[in-house]
Amino acid sequence: MKDLNNKRRLITLFTLLTVAFSFVLTSCSSVLDGPAMKYKDIVIPEGCFSYSVSQTKTSYMLYLTGASSTAELEDYPALWEFVPAEDGVTIGEVVMEEIVKSQKLILFFASYANEKGITLTDEEKKSVKSEMDTSITTNFKSRSVFNEALKTYGLNYDMLLEYNTLQLLASKARDIYFSQSGESEITEETMKNYYEMNYYTSTHIFVNNKTVSMSDTTPLSEDEAKKKTDKANDILKKVQNGEKFESFLSETDEETENTSEQTITFSEYELGFTDFSDAVSKTKIGEVTMLETSAGIYLIKRQKLDTDHFETFKENIFITIADERSTELIDNAESEFVLYDDVIAAHHVTLAPLFK
């Protein structure tokens, strides 16, 4: 399975517009017409919440399994109920926490839009409808067939259109909130400071001491594995004795199997390889460390942070900072949210149907 912590970062405020219109809906057990969550005068209906749980569950399953389409997916209730994600919390609990958080963010920023008179232009409204109509034509052939599928969630075309339009309004309000003239501007300096504190540049050599090759997963014999491990140790020893690390990057003999890109700039969350990022963060600039993993051995040299890459990561940094600030906003407004716990529990990710 892929790194869940990395995926967790993706299900945030910045997935407000990820309702997956391309998925075909399967049946749900009852008609849903009550509220699931409320903030001030804005409500997330039960049907919309249920729909979002199914959509997010399906998205997670595609990510975790690497499946190319929803048709390949099978549900595994034990995955959500028993498999730990972090600190003893199950994957199901993590997913539900993020779903509830995303709905709170929709409510919060949609309410902010109402308070500040932020509205969608006609073109923005049309874009939501156009995306829905395109998906319906592709996957359902007609609106009547689409409406029939939505009935299982207590929804219809107009209700889902309203919900998706609300998400776009919240997203627009969010952008304004953190813009140059907004309530909590994220400045260029703030983003550069974040980059310098949370990003690393490193160069590495990968020695595959587990399998014949990356494409041939036949396990190596004990002697073959030892030969490659000795090769990694030999490189490390030579570097520690003064030879240049870079002189080994071009080696292509059978003992090493270097990846195509040796030098990378990354943050922990974007890389999604915690052991690697931890190893780099604990190594001083210019020094080399060895990381042994289930895939093979990494010889890693931490480099001085490449400041030229700031622009490449600028958008991601903005998103990360905005997400952190947004989480603080809804935490501070916690008492103003009304959560209908019985409704939310009835649509737990363990129970939600997958989209097919």
Side-chain angles (χ1 to χ4, degrees):
M1 281 190 178
K2 300 184 180 181
D3 191 304
L4 183 67
N5 291 328
N6 190 41
K7 177 62 178 174
R8 186 173 183 175
R9 299 290 300 177
L10 304 180
I11 308 295
T12 64
L13 166 63
F14 301 93
T15 57
L16 289 175
L17 293 175
T18 59
V19 174
F21 302 120
S22 61
F23 294 142
V24 180
L25 302 175
T26 58
S27 63
C28 190
S29 60
S30 62
V31 174
L32 314 173
D33 56 6
M37 299 173 61
K38 182 180 179 181
Y39 179 74
K40 297 185 177 179
D41 295 329
I42 301 180
V43 173
I44 299 292
E46 182 178 1
C48 293
F49 182 82
S50 175
Y51 184 93
S52 295
V53 174
S54 286
Q55 184 272 322
T56 304
K57 179 177 182 176
T58 305
S59 177
Y60 256 94
M61 287 299 292
L62 286 170
Y63 178 86
L64 292 172
T65 64
S68 59
S69 72
T70 59
E72 301 174 28
L73 295 180
E74 292 185 24
D75 197 4
Y76 300 98
L79 170 69
W80 314 102
E81 291 185 82
F82 304 115
V83 177
E86 54 187 45
D87 301 327
V89 179
T90 66
I91 291 179
E93 289 171 317
V94 168
V95 172
M96 287 305 297
E97 177 187 328
E98 295 300 331
I99 291 170
V100 170
K101 174 185 173 182
S102 69
Q103 301 306 299
K104 284 182 177 180
L105 290 166
I106 293 171
L107 290 168
F108 181 90
F109 283 105
S111 177
Y112 175 75
N114 288 346
E115 291 172 4
K116 299 298 180 179
I118 300 169
T119 59
L120 296 177
T121 65
D122 289 341
E123 286 303 311
E124 288 168 332
K125 292 176 183 177
K126 288 178 181 177
S127 70
V128 180
K129 186 176 184 300
S130 176
E131 185 174 353
M132 284 183 64
D133 290 345
T134 298
S135 180
I136 290 169
T137 300
T138 302
N139 298 289
F140 294 90
K141 308 307 178 187
S142 71
R143 188 179 297 185
S144 61
V145 175
F146 184 59
N147 273 326
E148 192 63 32
L150 287 177
K151 282 182 181 179
T152 59
Y153 287 86
L155 299 175
N156 57 37
Y157 176 92
D158 291 334
M159 293 168 69
L160 189 58
L161 176 61
E162 182 179 355
Y163 178 59
N164 293 333
T165 303
L166 181 70
Q167 292 185 78
L168 181 58
L169 176 63
S171 181
K172 182 176 183 177
R174 178 275 328 269
D175 289 342
I176 292 172
Y177 193 95
F178 295 115
S179 68
Q180 186 172 0
S181 57
E183 307 279 341
S184 182
E185 178 187 357
I186 298 175
T187 65
E188 186 88 357
E189 182 181 2
T190 298
M191 290 187 283
K192 284 183 177 179
N193 288 339
Y194 186 93
Y195 179 73
E196 292 171 2
M197 293 291 292
N198 295 279
Y199 281 73
Y200 309 96
T201 298
S202 69
T203 305
H204 69 268
I205 296 169
F206 177 66
V207 180
N208 180 3
N209 65 341
K210 303 296 182 181
T211 62
V212 171
S213 69
M214 296 302 290
S215 57
D216 183 350
T217 58
T218 304
L220 295 176
S221 68
E222 186 175 336
D223 288 342
E224 290 170 329
K226 183 179 183 303
K227 186 178 180 181
K228 290 197 173 186
T229 301
D230 289 344
K231 177 68 176 182
N233 285 318
D234 182 59
I235 293 173
L236 181 62
K237 184 177 180 179
K238 287 178 178 178
V239 170
Q240 291 173 337
N241 287 334
E243 294 191 40
K244 289 188 176 297
F245 181 79
E246 288 72 18
S247 66
F248 298 99
L249 293 175
S250 60
E251 289 200 9
T252 56
D253 62 32
E254 62 179 9
E255 284 84 20
T256 59
E257 188 174 343
N258 291 343
T259 53
S260 58
E261 183 181 19
Q262 304 302 327
T263 301
I264 57 174
T265 297
F266 61 92
S267 70
E268 175 187 345
Y269 293 121
E270 289 168 345
L271 186 65
F273 186 0
T274 303
D275 289 344
F276 189 97
S277 57
D278 283 350
V280 175
S281 67
K282 294 173 182 176
T283 303
K284 293 181 180 179
I285 293 174
E287 292 187 352
V288 176
T289 189
M290 177 185 284
L291 173 64
E292 297 188 48
T293 73
S294 59
I297 298 173
Y298 292 86
L299 296 168
I300 310 167
K301 180 178 181 179
R302 181 172 176 181
Q303 308 281 14
K304 182 179 179 181
L305 180 64
D306 188 342
T307 55
D308 290 341
H309 284 173
F310 168 70
E311 290 296 328
T312 302
F313 296 102
K314 187 174 175 178
E315 182 178 355
N316 287 347
I317 292 170
F318 179 93
I319 288 172
T320 301
I321 296 172
D323 181 47
E324 291 173 353
R325 293 185 183 181
S326 298
T327 299
E328 184 177 353
L329 286 171
I330 61 173
D331 285 346
N332 291 339
E334 183 63 33
S335 62
E336 298 180 69
F337 288 98
V338 178
L339 273 61
Y340 297 86
D341 294 331
D342 290 346
V343 173
I344 292 172
H347 302 290
H348 192 276
V349 65
T350 305
L351 306 172
L354 289 168
F355 291 166
K356 293 289 186 178

